Structure formats: structure tokens, C-alpha cells
Amino acid sequence: MLYLSNFWRRHRRKIFIAAGVFGGGYFLYNLYRAQKRRLADLERTLASERENEELIKAQMQAHFENIQGIADTTILPHVIQHVSDRIAEDLDLSNLTERLRRGRVHPSTLTSSQKVELWDRLKILSFTRMLVSLWSMTALTLYIRVQVNILGRHLYVDTARSLEISHSLEDHDLIDRDDEQKFLASADFLASNGLPALISNMQAAVTEELEGKQLGDLFNTTTLHGTIMQILHVLMSTGSPHMWVDCLMPEVGNRRGTSSSSGDTIQFETTKFDQFMLEVRAVLLSSEFSRIMDISLQAAVDGLVDEIGSQVSGTSMTTGIELARLVPRVAQMGPTLLVEPSQNQFMKTIRRVPEVELFFTLLYANMPTSWTSEH
């Protein structure tokens, strides 16, 4: 014991220092291990989050591509066929062409002034039918995509929130089927309600631009392209700032409630259908969509003029052909603009425009607040 007591007195300071060093080292070692575990846990968490993000991105991309296909294979073919039938009925040229044909076979049946009048009417109606078809094809190609992207985004986001990204999207139906079907069926509004106003305004624009053009005037590719673009510009500038939007879809209002005669406020329930229609109208009234509409019309007109030029033999469209020879070509173009989507080169051209692709990618991913503000 004496030895130990002496040893403790002689080496006490060293023992304290050694114990302190050992204890500090042990503490630092445990701290290092804990920190290493935390870093490993954090790395696993981050890796798991990255995997989830990649999975979400893959699901969203697959869902996005799927709803674009729905627009092209399900909704658009029906709507385009309906519009085509209505245009053929409302802008029937057969009576004019038959009277002109009989006049050629039996010249005595028509006077010179009657022939000129019939040709002028055929000129106006041919351009009107072609451009109503072109505008309808372009507008519906974009409009239906707006619809399915808004609907698709709601389906994805609502399902993801409900299931916390844990189940397949196809296993659940959070949006009322009646609202969904009613919303998609509204794409028929142009054919069912909007065409008379569109035809009337288009015919007025065509008349304004072509009234001074004589049947003997020469039209080349540049002249035809400029004439068509000017007619479309007049149409898009006609009436209220949103006239063409009213041709595509019905007016919708915020159902916030109204006051009755007794002073009580009557509350209205806002359905998913109401919300969808408000969002669609907000997009259509936005400056972003107006720009996309202009770009798409330009692309469609470029393709239209090229197609007409390819049907004219030789270099006639380069040097110019008489308007009288151009009118029959124009009359034939209307139906070709409204063939079903899988065979419609004009629709494919519009869909491939980079600005159009980007617009719908952004629309599906997240509707900008500027589109949802009141107009």
C-alpha cells in the first residue's frame, strides 16, 4: 500500500494527464463515430430522396406522354370529324360549282355578270372554308392539349398527395367521372356552338382582303402567304379581345355567391368542372397562349402554302398564277386540313414546333400564377 501511495504521489499529475488524454480521445472517437453514422444516414436519406425524385420524374414523364397520346387518339379525332362535318354543311360549295359547270356546258344559261358574281362568291367562300378549317384545326390541336394537360396535372397531383407516391396512379380515381367527361366533352363547343360566329367573322375578313382582287390577278407563293396571314390577323383582331376564345369555349364565371332579394347570400358549390374550365380560360386568355397560337398559325400557313404550291404544276406558284386558277385549289384544301390526326401533317407540324412542346411541358408541370389571375 505504501508503494502504491508513493507511486500515486509521484505520478498523480501524469495519471491525470493520461486519463484526460485517454478520456478526451475516447470522447472524440465516439463523437467521430456518431458523426460518421449521421453522415452515412444523411447520405442514405439523400440517395433515397434522389431515387424518389427520379421515380417521380419518370412517372410524370410517362404520365405526360400518355395524356398527349390521349389527346391525339381519343378526343381530337372525334372533335375534328364533328367540325369537318359542320364546315362541309355550313360552307357547301357544291351549288356554286354546279351552276358554274352548267354555265360552261350551256353558256346561254348564265350571263357574263352572273358568271362574275358566281366566281366572286366562290372565291370568297373557298378562302373562307379553307381558313375556317385551318384555324379550327390549329386552335383545336392546342385547345384540347390545354384540356388534357390541366386534367392530367390535377389527376397526378391529387393522387400523389393522397397516396404519398406509394401506389399506382391507375388504381385510384379522385376526380368525379361526370366532371371529367363533361370537361372533355366541352371540346365540342366549337362545332356545336362556336362555328357560326367564326364563319361570319372569317368571311368578313376574307371579303375585306379579297374584295378588290380580280380573277385575273396573279398570285405567287409570297402573295398567297401574305394574303392568308393578313386575313388571319384581321380575324384575330375582330370584335372583343377574346372573340376567338369565345368561339372555342363557353364563358365561365367564378361562382362565389350572389345576394337574393332578402339580402341573404346564396352560396354555390364550385365543382371540379368549374375549376377546370376557369383554368382553361385563364390559359387561353394569357399572352403566352396568344403567342403560341400565332406561332402555330404561322407554321400551319407555311405548310398550307407549300402544299398548294406542290399541287400546281411547273413553276407557276413561283412566277404566279391567276386567281381564277388558284380558287379551285383553295376549295379543295379545306377537307385535307381536317383529316384525322394520325394522318394530318399539319397537326404533326404544329406539335413539333419547339415553342409548342415547351409550352405544354410547362403547363403540365406547373400552371404559372399569371395564367390563373382574373382577366
Side-chain angles (χ1 to χ4, degrees), residues 139 142-151 153-154 183 242 244-245 248-249 252 275-293 356 359-375:
L142 300 177
Y143 176 75
I144 290 172
R145 261 181 159 64
V146 170
Q147 279 192 307
V148 297
N149 277 282
I150 286 176
L151 179 61
R153 176 164 45 79
H154 275 281
F183 176 59
H242 313 310
W244 58 272
V245 175
L248 276 175
M249 67 176 297
V252 289
Q275 181 181 351
F276 293 156
M277 295 299 286
L278 286 169
E279 287 190 22
V280 169
R281 194 168 185 87
V283 172
L284 265 59
L285 294 177
S286 69
S287 58
E288 292 92 340
F289 186 81
S290 293
R291 185 177 69 87
I292 293 301
M293 184 72 170
V356 173
F359 176 84
F360 286 111
T361 300
L362 294 176
L363 176 62
Y364 175 80
N366 181 29
M367 174 179 274
T369 56
S370 63
W371 292 354
T372 57
S373 59
E374 292 185 16
H375 290 262

Side-chain angles (χ1 to χ4, degrees), residues 29 198 263 359:
Y29 173 72
L198 175 62
F359 176 84

Side-chain angles (χ1 to χ4, degrees), residues 300-351:
V301 172
D302 291 346
L304 174 66
V305 172
D306 288 344
E307 180 65 22
I308 293 176
S310 69
Q311 295 179 10
V312 177
S313 59
T315 59
S316 298
M317 282 303 295
T318 303
T319 58
I321 65 171
E322 294 180 347
L323 181 56
R325 289 183 55 204
L326 181 62
V327 166
R329 303 287 182 183
V330 169
Q332 295 168 5
M333 283 305 299
T336 67
L337 289 160
L338 294 171
V339 297
E340 67 110 9
S342 65
Q343 301 175 10
N344 196 312
Q345 296 302 316
F346 300 98
M347 291 182 186
K348 292 177 182 178
T349 296
I350 291 171
R351 292 198 297 266

Side-chain angles (χ1 to χ4, degrees), residues 99-100 103 106-118:
R99 289 181 64 186
L100 286 169
H106 306 287
S108 60
T109 59
L110 291 175
T111 66
S112 297
S113 61
Q114 287 175 327
K115 289 180 182 178
V116 171
E117 180 187 355
L118 287 174

Side-chain angles (χ1 to χ4, degrees), residues 13 27 53 74 88 90 97 106 115 128 153 160 169 184 187 206 223 231 259 266 275 280 307 309 338 344 365 370 374:
R13 179 181 178 83
F27 171 77
E53 287 177 0
T74 305
D90 294 349
T97 55
H106 306 287
K115 289 180 182 178
T128 298
R153 176 164 45 79
L169 291 172
L184 294 176
V206 169
T223 307
I231 292 170
S259 296
I266 302 172
Q275 181 181 351
V280 169
E307 180 65 22
L338 294 171
N344 196 312
S370 63
E374 292 185 16

